[in-house]
Amino acid sequence: METLSYLIDGFASAVSPMNLLMCAVGVLLGTAVGVLPGLGPSSAIAILLPVTATLEPMQSIIMLAGIYYGAQYGGSTTSILLNIPGEAASIVTCLDGYPMAKQGRGGPALGIAAIGSFIAGTIGVLGLTFFAPIFARSALAFGPPEYTMLMVMSFSIVMSFAGNSLSKGILIGFLGMLLACVGPGWVSGYLRFCWNVDQLTGGLNLVPIVIGLMAISEVLKGLEEQSVAISTEQVGSVFPSKADLKRSAGPIIRGTFIGFILGLLPGCAPTVSTFLSYDLEKKVSKHPEKFGTGMIEGVASPESANNANGVAGFIPLFSFGIPTSAAMAILLVGLTMFGIQPGPTLFTSGGEFVWTVIASMFIGNLLLIILNLPLVGIWAKITKVPYGILAPVIVSLCVIGSYTIRNSMFDVLITFLFGYIGYVMRKHQWPIVPLIIGFILGPIFERNFITSMSMSNESFLIFIQRPISAGILVLTVVLLILSHFLKKRTASRVKASVDSSMDLPDDVS
Amino acid sequence: MKKITAIALTLSLTLSALLTGCGSTSDSSDQASFPDRQVEIVVGYSAGSSPDLLARALADRLSEKWGVPVMVTNKTDGSSATAIKEFLSTAEPDGYTITIGTIADLCLHMAVNKQPLYDASDFTYVCQTSQYPMSVTVKADAPWNTFGELSDWVVKNPGELLYCSSSMTGASAFATAEWVNTIGGDFNAARLVPITGSSDAAVKVAGGNATVIIGSITGVLPMVEAGELKILVMTPYADPNYPDIPSAEESGVSGLTFGNWNGIVMPSGVSEDILNTWREALGEICSDEAFIDQMQKVGVPVVYADGADWEQQVLNSIEDYKQLAEELGLRK
């Protein structure tokens, strides 16, 4: 019940005019970002992070979080109406959403996407409210050896889940870890991979790399593709019928559950959970053959999954300081920038901060459903802006964002370099997720591994002598075996339903 | 022909403007005209860090006082030492660009590295603006209730001490090394638990993964209030803001000197007049009650010092720590 009183205090603080405004700005920007192809939530947060540094920490994080979960809403609009996924997590929504729109049932599809998102988002925040403090309290029991094993587990999951081939996943994951090694080594301060370039002695920064890999490469790819989508003018009422609601109730709950659980694990970004939940719906449905022709279940479930997934990612972030995706990693950069340390203290002494942010998520979800249903038409129009105009705008935002994070022209060069690398990788269907996750988790692994070694006088036994650490190791092996089977099934089923050459998508946002 | 006339006219106008401009101030030398344009404070630390908070507070006061914009630029694309190196190679010694350093940048860097990126002689030392005693913090249910008891345990159990520091050459490592050396323990047997910052250290100590953290009190305070940690002493002196916490001396361990501070420096060769303008302004700001309060709240206690004495003190510290680093085999 302590939690409840904290949460009420959080609400009191979240409804202050400035916090409310930031929440509204965040979710609106997020929706826009979700709608626009080429600008995902992680790059949007990366670009805006330096700008929000001028705000109070609370307002800034409220806004950045709003962008993150707002984007999950926005992505569905264009998927359904135009068959253009605004971001990778909405690809699955196209499968049944667009056929629905062609049949003149675009309205109910949008409605159910928003309702599903709202329910999943709210359940997700409820989970965050009650689980995060419990996890945070147990975080003290997690010392360096436990973190080391957690990272081993994360890597195994990411590398086996992301992309279409295990070997590519492993290779690229290690490349990401190597990139993170640039700069002074942990503890020793010994310079690695610096080649006498002064700017490299501080290491590579996450923000320009994410902006490059996610935004610039997407723009490059978008410029060469000719969009052939036909807009469906006939939207119909956005309010689903009773029958629609009845059919969607189950999928929404199942999607929420899948999204939430996967959201706790690193690398299992919204995208993966949408594919899994779509697959599950097909499996439990009495008419699996009708999927892809405009089944409302095929919209409700993935849309719920990606929202629950997005919110669940805040649990490991707030309780352990472990980012599960690029967007979360950048939020972590933001937290550290404001001197806020995730972990047990966040929920006790610094309580006001975290509870206000959580309360703002409840409010944000409400704002999203109020704003989105009537504004659907306007969002759809955004995509009619010619890409020739949109692309330069996005690129200039990228340059500003990557420059201001450290006031460094070098970072701008890094952004373009990684933009090109990302473009080549996308072209050749190399997954980008493992690269970013490797870059984020690599240093956490290295630090905790070195610390564990220092604590144990260089004995590896420390990893199996401590019960929690040993437990995670066993769990990793079990998960690896499980994911091997799971992946085989999902991949073949998704391939069957997506008749294009679409691979499991590479977005972690 | 017209063009040349125009150029000549512009030139003569500019010249006369310059001359009259100088004429009015030449009697009172540079001092009166400094500063007449934007001043930049370079900070080699990220936004929200102690030096950054200090720089931003000073910038507000300075621009109010001087009527020129004072900008804070965070240079964090390298280490804080590379930021200072870059600062030294780009900033003119004209007083318009200054930087804030910590003991790690202005003393330990030279003490630890046989080939430092810069030397003490590269700087014009303006003043010290703040100084912090460090807190010695252990787990709340640890068996030691005083610093003396902890010290006895460390001496009797070589190799058992797990101390926190960002690296072997970080400020916390130096503080720990000085302490263990002073009480007659074996510092080389102690094991380092590397940390990313003082709040990370707090979690490590509270979780029982490290024995002690000697560092800034602001990082550990939240966990102390949550009942997970206890502060044994402040070193090298007691903090007047926490009168209940004894000093190391009062707890039976004397001879400790290591504490952290922030100093303001410019490239060498800044004129005496400009230097005095800076010291006057900063000295005034640092004696203002409201400013002292404001900095206290963010955990950067104001302790002002300048002049030749302070400079000599910094130079002496470099030599002292050089010796300590040599003894401990840290100098590379």
Side-chain angles (χ1 to χ4, degrees):
Chain A
M1 280 309 97
E2 210 182 16
T3 307
L4 218 56
S5 75
Y6 281 137
L7 187 64
I8 290 166
D9 288 347
F11 268 108
S13 151
V15 293
S16 75
M18 198 58 189
N19 286 345
L20 212 53
L21 178 71
M22 283 304 138
C23 183
V25 170
V27 295
L28 269 180
L29 275 176
T31 313
V33 158
V35 170
L36 288 174
L39 204 57
S42 50
S43 17
I45 296 174
I47 290 167
L48 282 172
L49 181 64
V51 183
T52 58
T54 53
L55 298 172
E56 295 282 311
M58 211 185 272
Q59 295 158 3
S60 162
I61 300 295
I62 286 177
M63 186 178 131
L64 296 176
I67 293 176
Y68 181 62
Y69 57 78
Q72 326 285 10
Y73 268 76
S76 57
T77 309
T78 48
S79 302
I80 292 169
L81 292 183
L82 308 170
N83 203 21
I84 304 171
E87 35 130 20
S90 319
I91 291 172
V92 181
T93 312
C94 294
L95 300 178
D96 280 282
Y98 188 60
M100 276 182 80
K102 277 201 289 197
Q103 296 155 18
R105 302 209 330 121
L110 288 167
I112 210 70
I115 292 169
S117 297
F118 173 73
I119 294 174
T122 308
I123 294 179
V125 184
L126 274 173
L128 171 64
T129 308
F130 292 100
F131 289 128
I134 299 173
F135 281 131
R137 240 168 277 148
S138 65
L140 274 188
F142 280 69
E146 285 76 21
Y147 273 91
T148 312
M149 285 299 116
L150 269 182
M151 290 305 114
V152 171
M153 182 169 94
S154 308
F155 284 132
S156 334
I157 296 171
V158 174
M159 287 170 184
S160 57
F161 254 120
N164 41 9
S165 122
L166 183 66
S167 47
K168 276 184 188 174
I170 292 175
L171 261 172
I172 294 185
F174 276 109
L175 182 68
M177 290 173 84
L178 273 179
L179 284 170
C181 285
V182 175
W186 174 244
V187 186
S188 68
Y190 187 81
L191 291 181
R192 306 181 292 199
F193 306 117
C194 285
W195 292 297
N196 287 328
V197 178
D198 267 355
Q199 286 92 340
L200 283 178
T201 55
L204 292 168
N205 191 295
L206 173 69
V207 172
I209 291 183
V210 167
I211 294 179
L213 284 178
M214 299 299 211
I216 301 271
S217 71
E218 185 76 38
V219 167
L220 287 176
K221 210 167 157 242
L223 279 175
E224 62 173 32
E225 276 167 11
Q226 207 64 44
S227 152
V228 286
I230 313 122
S231 164
T232 42
E233 300 296 339
Q234 202 64 41
V235 171
S237 162
V238 290
F239 295 102
S241 67
K242 246 190 187 148
D244 285 337
L245 284 174
K246 216 175 145 199
R247 276 171 66 188
S248 307
I252 288 177
I253 299 302
R254 283 189 288 269
T256 303
F257 185 73
I258 291 182
F260 189 80
I261 299 293
L262 288 181
L264 299 173
L265 305 170
C268 293
T271 319
V272 180
S273 69
T274 54
F275 277 92
L276 284 177
S277 62
Y278 187 81
D279 183 51
L280 180 77
E281 282 318 311
K282 256 179 97 169
K283 215 177 301 172
V284 300
S285 169
K286 289 191 188 103
H287 307 284
E289 75 286 353
K290 281 196 184 159
F291 273 78
T293 61
M295 294 281 275
I296 200 159
E297 290 92 336
V299 176
S301 182
E303 275 305 306
S304 311
N306 72 28
N307 277 275
N309 187 292
V311 177
F314 283 96
I315 296 179
L317 181 77
F318 283 157
S319 334
F320 294 102
I322 296 179
T324 48
S325 65
M328 286 293 133
I330 291 162
L331 272 179
L332 181 64
V333 174
L335 289 175
T336 3
M337 207 166 81
F338 292 118
I340 294 159
Q341 170 92 2
T345 46
L346 194 60
F347 289 88
T348 51
S349 57
E352 202 205 341
F353 170 82
V354 75
W355 290 114
T356 306
V357 173
I358 291 177
S360 84
M361 291 184 188
F362 280 108
I363 298 171
N365 268 298
L366 201 64
L367 284 178
L368 277 168
I369 196 164
I370 297 172
L371 287 174
N372 274 9
L373 287 182
L375 290 183
V376 150
I378 297 177
W379 293 127
K381 281 208 182 78
I382 288 190
T383 48
K384 291 194 179 146
V385 178
Y387 211 66
I389 294 174
L390 209 55
V393 173
I394 295 177
V395 172
S396 10
L397 285 176
C398 292
V399 171
I400 296 171
S402 50
Y403 177 77
T404 37
I405 191 77
R406 295 197 292 191
N407 290 321
S408 162
M409 207 50 213
F410 184 77
D411 282 347
V412 178
L413 293 177
I414 293 288
T415 303
F416 283 118
L417 177 69
F418 276 90
Y420 183 68
I421 293 175
Y423 170 74
V424 173
M425 285 171 76
R426 276 176 206 266
K427 269 274 187 203
H428 295 274
Q429 298 187 339
W430 286 67
I432 291 176
V433 190
L435 182 81
I436 293 182
I437 295 288
F439 186 83
I440 296 167
L441 300 186
I444 305 182
F445 169 78
E446 190 194 1
R447 281 203 293 270
N448 285 292
F449 178 72
I450 292 177
T451 309
S452 307
M453 288 290 105
S454 180
M455 284 169 67
S456 69
N457 265 338
E458 272 102 56
S459 157
F460 279 97
L461 286 176
I462 192 168
F463 295 116
I464 46 174
Q465 277 166 345
R466 298 171 55 126
I468 301 181
S469 163
I472 301 171
L473 192 62
V474 173
L475 191 67
T476 307
V477 177
V478 174
L479 272 177
L480 264 184
I481 298 168
L482 213 71
S483 78
H484 180 71
F485 290 109
L486 206 64
K487 212 194 118 165
K488 266 196 167 162
R489 297 188 67 138
T490 320
S492 57
R493 273 160 183 271
V494 169
K495 277 255 167 65
S497 48
V498 189
D499 47 358
S500 65
S501 64
M502 204 180 272
D503 268 307
L504 275 175
D506 345 310
D507 203 298
V508 281
S509 41
Chain B
M1 208 51 206
K2 240 181 182 170
K3 226 177 190 176
I4 294 175
T5 332
I7 292 172
L9 204 70
T10 324
L11 265 177
S12 59
L13 270 174
T14 322
L15 265 177
S16 60
L18 271 175
L19 283 172
T20 44
C22 288
S24 62
T25 55
S26 58
D27 301 331
S28 51
S29 81
D30 284 355
Q31 203 178 344
S33 60
F34 177 87
D36 59 2
R37 57 182 166 91
Q38 176 174 299
V39 172
E40 188 185 11
I41 305 180
V42 177
V43 181
Y45 295 85
S46 56
S49 60
S50 305
D52 174 73
L53 294 171
L54 182 65
R56 284 175 198 279
L58 285 176
D60 284 347
R61 298 291 173 129
L62 285 170
S63 68
E64 211 174 279
K65 197 179 203 58
W66 285 342
V68 294
V70 180
M71 239 181 65
V72 176
T73 311
N74 300 87
K75 277 281 174 196
T76 48
D77 50 356
S79 66
S80 60
T82 50
I84 289 194
K85 185 192 168 200
E86 193 189 330
F87 164 79
L88 285 170
S89 60
T90 54
E92 297 290 327
D94 57 5
Y96 284 100
T97 328
I98 64 160
T99 186
I100 294 187
T102 65
I103 188 170
D105 311 316
L106 300 178
C107 289
L108 301 184
H109 180 74
M110 286 83 111
V112 170
N113 293 300
K114 280 186 181 149
Q115 287 158 327
L117 294 172
Y118 44 82
D119 266 313
S121 58
D122 293 335
F123 297 111
T124 300
Y125 290 89
V126 183
C127 63
Q128 172 193 305
T129 52
S130 43
Q131 190 176 318
Y132 334 47
M134 298 165 107
S135 61
V136 180
T137 311
V138 295
K139 203 170 186 249
D141 55 8
W144 322 286
N145 289 313
T146 67
F147 193 37
E149 287 173 26
L150 175 64
S151 300
D152 286 344
W153 177 84
V154 169
V155 175
K156 283 188 193 127
N157 300 282
E160 290 290 306
L161 175 68
L162 292 158
Y163 69 98
C164 296
S165 176
S166 57
S167 71
M168 289 296 283
T169 55
S172 292
F174 264 81
T176 311
E178 190 198 33
W179 161 54
V180 176
N181 250 16
T182 308
I183 58 175
D186 181 5
F187 178 70
N188 282 320
R191 279 174 279 160
L192 167 71
V193 176
I195 48 159
T196 52
S198 53
S199 25
D200 179 32
V203 175
K204 295 241 157 72
V205 175
N209 295 299
T211 324
V212 67
I213 165 67
I214 306 183
S216 96
I217 191 164
T218 42
V220 294
L221 223 42
M223 294 285 263
V224 172
E225 279 159 7
E228 300 280 354
L229 295 175
K230 61 182 172 191
I231 301 176
L232 297 178
V233 290
M234 299 298 290
T235 172
Y237 55 87
D239 189 327
N241 295 293
Y242 307 99
D244 297 342
I245 307 171
S247 70
E249 184 106 46
E250 285 161 355
S251 195
V253 180
S254 50
L256 302 186
T257 59
F258 192 93
N260 203 349
W261 46 260
N262 296 125
I264 291 184
V265 289
M266 300 192 278
S268 59
V270 177
S271 80
E272 201 62 27
D273 287 333
I274 290 175
L275 185 59
N276 285 334
T277 310
W278 267 106
R279 284 178 174 169
E280 217 171 273
L282 291 171
E284 214 169 287
I285 292 170
C286 287
S287 55
D288 177 44
E289 283 299 327
F291 181 78
I292 295 174
D293 270 2
Q294 181 194 345
M295 294 320 294
Q296 192 64 55
K297 277 203 194 97
V298 293
V300 190
V302 174
V303 177
Y304 185 83
D306 66 12
D309 283 354
W310 176 65
E311 190 175 334
Q312 196 51 50
Q313 208 179 310
V314 175
L315 299 179
N316 289 346
S317 302
I318 297 177
E319 289 311 313
D320 289 350
Y321 297 132
K322 214 178 258 180
Q323 215 170 342
L324 185 62
E326 199 85 64
E327 274 171 37
L328 298 170
L330 296 178
R331 201 165 141 75
K332 290 179 289 206

